[in-house]
Amino acid sequence: MKEVYTLGIDVGSTASKCIILKNGKEIVSKSLIDVGAGTSGPGRAIAEVMEKSGLTKDQIDYSLATGYGRNSLDWVDNQLSELSCHAKGAYFLFPDVKTVIDIGGQDAKVLKINAGGLLNNFVMNDKCAAGTGRFLDVMSRVLEVKVSDLEKLSAESSKTVNISSTCTVFAESEVISQLSQETDKRDIIKGIHRSVAGRVSGLAKRIGIEDRVVMTGGVAQNNGVVLALEEEIGHKVYTSPLSQYNGALGAALFAYQKLNK
Ligand code: ADP
């Protein structure tokens, strides 16, 4: 029987992610380039995933794009919203998922998933940087730490500093003021994580939270945010090593589905 290869591309606001699937279930290769829509990122991510797979473009049976910049790729076979793709990816990784919390580089969304894995309802914040990866990116720059080190540093905190401003610009001033008072960076970071969790939890409570809760998107790699979110919503939050690839995974799964229709 001929193998079927599908390509999912997630052109995000800050990162471009690709996944190639074999027969709709086996990951052949994946790629992530840390720049997103409107840059060379999507093209580089596609070139990398193809090279890692050892396949040629002719061997890809169907490709599907999702994410903020999905319209910029004109050669793909199809495209779908990231809401559908995140629901699909999370259901593949956790078949009993009911709530998906996706925190990306520029927005946060909460999705309700039905028993068949389809999207039932959603709420989204794409108007304000607070409660998104952008908030963490801005703060890590002010604190002069890498975004990938936030988790480790917050785990060493002994007390939480309260970041009261919900506006990113004012919160940034608060952090600068804390730094000038020589407050421990680790405690400030814990407060920053709590601030993100508070915003996202407010969003999630608007549509109701049901177990199992799965967190996706790049921010899910920061266990400090995951723990703060668990505390805020009072539910266990599950993540996967594929969290940042979840949209691309969903796109590759939809590509397989379209091919078989
Ligand atoms: P988008 O799809 O909008 O590009 P992603 O889901 O790719 O967003 O998430 C990007 C965000 O993930 C970044 O803004 C950053 O805050 C966060 N992030 C990326 N890599 C890491 C990491 N290694 N550890 C913690 N956070 C990360």
Side-chain angles (χ1 to χ4, degrees):
M1 207 181 80
K2 183 186 173 293
E3 311 287 13
V4 171
Y5 295 101
T6 56
L7 166 64
I9 310 156
D10 179 3
V11 186
S13 61
T14 62
S16 307
K17 287 81 63 176
C18 292
I19 280 199
I20 293 179
L21 277 186
K22 183 162 107 184
N23 300 329
K25 46 179 182 278
E26 192 187 313
I27 295 175
V28 175
S29 61
K30 56 184 173 37
S31 65
L32 187 151
I33 301 288
D34 245 333
V35 282
T39 67
S40 61
R44 282 159 55 204
I46 294 167
E48 189 179 310
V49 82
M50 292 305 307
E51 195 191 323
K52 283 187 182 166
S53 71
L55 298 166
T56 62
K57 268 193 181 162
D58 292 348
Q59 288 173 281
I60 300 293
D61 296 285
Y62 203 99
S63 56
L64 193 142
T66 188
Y68 176 75
R70 64 183 179 277
N71 297 316
S72 60
L73 301 176
D74 46 10
W75 57 268
V76 291
D77 295 307
N78 215 326
Q79 47 154 288
L80 260 179
S81 85
E82 60 255 55
L83 295 167
S84 306
C85 290
H86 271 283
K88 190 83 170 170
Y91 182 67
F92 178 82
L93 297 171
F94 299 94
D96 56 351
V97 62
K98 291 281 181 304
T99 311
V100 178
I101 298 178
D102 172 56
I103 313 185
Q106 165 172 292
D107 62 22
K109 349 185 209 312
V110 184
L111 323 178
K112 295 299 290 288
I113 313 292
N114 72 17
L118 294 175
L119 181 66
N120 230 353
N121 196 3
F122 75 96
V123 276
M124 173 162 190
N125 161 32
D126 58 357
K127 300 277 182 287
C128 164
T132 74
R134 184 64 197 271
F135 187 84
L136 293 159
D137 298 345
V138 167
M139 298 311 166
S140 63
R141 223 166 293 138
V142 176
L143 292 160
E144 296 180 284
V145 299
K146 288 199 217 118
V147 83
S148 52
D149 288 338
L150 293 174
E151 165 185 338
K152 184 175 69 155
L153 292 165
S154 72
E156 292 167 5
S157 157
S158 51
K159 67 172 188 339
T160 310
V161 169
N162 184 35
I163 308 290
S164 58
S165 302
T166 46
C167 163
T168 306
V169 177
F170 289 144
E172 188 182 4
S173 306
E174 254 185 80
V175 169
I176 293 168
S177 150
Q178 290 285 355
L179 284 173
S180 68
Q181 291 162 41
E182 294 182 2
T183 307
D184 192 318
K185 270 187 192 179
R186 295 170 297 186
D187 299 335
I188 302 175
I189 293 168
K190 191 138 189 220
I192 289 167
H193 289 164
R194 188 173 278 180
S195 162
V196 171
R199 286 295 287 222
V200 177
S201 135
L203 200 64
K205 283 175 184 161
R206 273 167 44 196
I207 55 167
I209 304 160
E210 270 181 273
D211 290 325
R212 182 191 289 245
V213 181
V214 173
M215 184 175 166
T216 65
V219 176
Q221 295 169 99
N222 179 344
N223 200 47
V225 174
V226 177
L227 293 174
L229 199 54
E230 284 183 336
E231 218 168 276
E232 283 286 335
I233 65 176
H235 291 255
K236 169 108 186 96
V237 174
Y238 293 83
T239 61
S240 145
L242 288 172
S243 67
Q244 198 169 8
Y245 294 91
N246 189 61
L249 173 64
L253 289 164
F254 268 121
Y256 184 74
Q257 197 173 308
K258 300 260 180 207
L259 204 57
N260 286 296
K261 263 201 179 147

